């Protein structure tokens, strides 16, 4: 039928809220993480959870995306970590492109969401057009030493939120130095 299914993904049917919570905890434990220079428990993968509402035929997809990786932060990583960083950045770029396309036209072209496994898995949301809604929640650090990371995260969040004007967003989220 042309649908894409992630390797290792499971289709589960929780019987109650407690069962659903157990499943989510189990899924969280399977999440790939690794210590990096910036974070001792850095996500090295994206996580998706789709809740299908059988009676209404609706669905809610929760996507917890790994953060973008700057080259200067990963230059001392192993080749494997550098490859992970490149794949994370590539999939986030593909996701931003799909959101941008959705904001510009009624339908996201198939080539846009075929660019990464993440966007392939989210393709159903892009195909639903007006029935799909997007909310973006960014997790940022309150530490002054993480300001550059925080700004990069907020820029990505703004782009995913459909703001679309990256130059304007960059100006709004630039470091303002006291006079």
């Amino acid at each position: 039928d042309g649908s894409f299914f992630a390797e290792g993904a499971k289709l589960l049917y929780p019987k109650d809220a407690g069962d659903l919570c157990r499943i989510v905890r189990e899924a969280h434990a399977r999440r790939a993480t690794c210590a990096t220079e910036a974070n001792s428990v850095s996500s090295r993968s994206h996580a998706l959870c789709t809740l299908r509402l059988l009676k209404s035929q609706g669905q809610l997809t929760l996507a917890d995306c790994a953060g973008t990786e700057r080259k200067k932060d990963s230059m001392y990583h192993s080749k494997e970590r550098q490859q992970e960083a490149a794949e994370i950045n590539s999939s986030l770029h593909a996701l931003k492109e799909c959101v941008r396309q959705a904001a510009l036209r009624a339908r996201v072209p198939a080539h846009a969401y075929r660019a990464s496994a993440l966007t392939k898995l989210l393709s159903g949301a892009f195909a639903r057009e007006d029935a799909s809604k997007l909310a973006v929640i960014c997790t940022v650090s309150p530490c002054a030493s993480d300001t550059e990371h925080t700004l990069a995260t907020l820029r990505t969040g703004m782009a995913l939120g459909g703001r679309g004007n990256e130059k304007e967003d960059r100006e709004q989220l630039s470091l303002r130095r006291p006079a």
Side-chain angles (χ1 to χ4, degrees):
D1 70 355
S3 60
F4 183 79
F5 198 76
E7 183 179 331
K10 295 181 178 182
L11 189 57
L12 303 168
Y13 299 91
K15 293 166 184 42
D16 54 38
D19 199 21
L20 177 61
C21 288
R22 181 191 56 74
I23 290 168
V24 170
R25 280 192 301 275
E26 192 177 294
H28 186 268
R30 294 177 57 198
R31 181 91 184 259
T33 61
C34 183
T36 64
E37 293 289 324
N39 186 350
S40 62
V41 189
S42 178
S43 297
R44 308 312 298 164
S45 64
H46 305 303
L48 293 177
C49 175
T50 299
L51 304 173
R52 289 191 174 86
L53 309 173
L54 300 177
K55 289 183 182 174
S56 68
Q57 299 298 309
Q59 75 178 37
L60 172 66
T61 300
L62 305 171
D64 183 2
C65 295
T68 57
E69 297 266 340
R70 298 178 307 174
K71 278 193 176 186
K72 72 179 187 178
D73 291 333
S74 61
M75 64 171 33
Y76 300 112
H77 290 181
S78 68
K79 289 289 184 199
E80 182 183 18
R81 294 285 95 80
Q82 289 177 354
Q83 181 63 34
E84 285 173 348
E87 289 172 9
I88 289 167
N89 290 346
S90 177
S91 63
L92 289 173
H93 176 75
L95 180 58
K96 284 193 275 188
E97 182 61 20
C98 286
V99 172
R100 188 181 74 75
Q101 290 284 340
L104 293 175
R105 52 178 74 176
R107 190 169 185 87
V108 176
H111 74 273
Y113 59 80
R114 288 187 186 135
S116 78
L118 175 65
T119 51
K120 285 178 190 176
L121 289 165
L122 294 172
S123 65
F126 299 120
R128 286 183 185 70
E129 298 149 12
D130 293 335
S132 294
K133 303 293 182 216
L134 173 68
V136 177
I137 300 171
C138 297
T139 303
V140 297
S141 172
C143 299
S145 61
D146 291 329
T147 301
E148 285 185 57
H149 291 283
T150 295
L151 289 172
T153 298
L154 292 173
R155 285 184 192 113
T156 299
M158 290 172 77
L160 288 174
R163 291 285 308 263
N165 189 341
E166 200 166 312
K167 184 176 187 286
E168 182 182 309
D169 293 344
R170 203 172 276 283
E171 291 169 4
Q172 288 179 2
L173 289 174
S174 64
L175 289 172
R176 304 199 192 279
R177 307 241 188 260

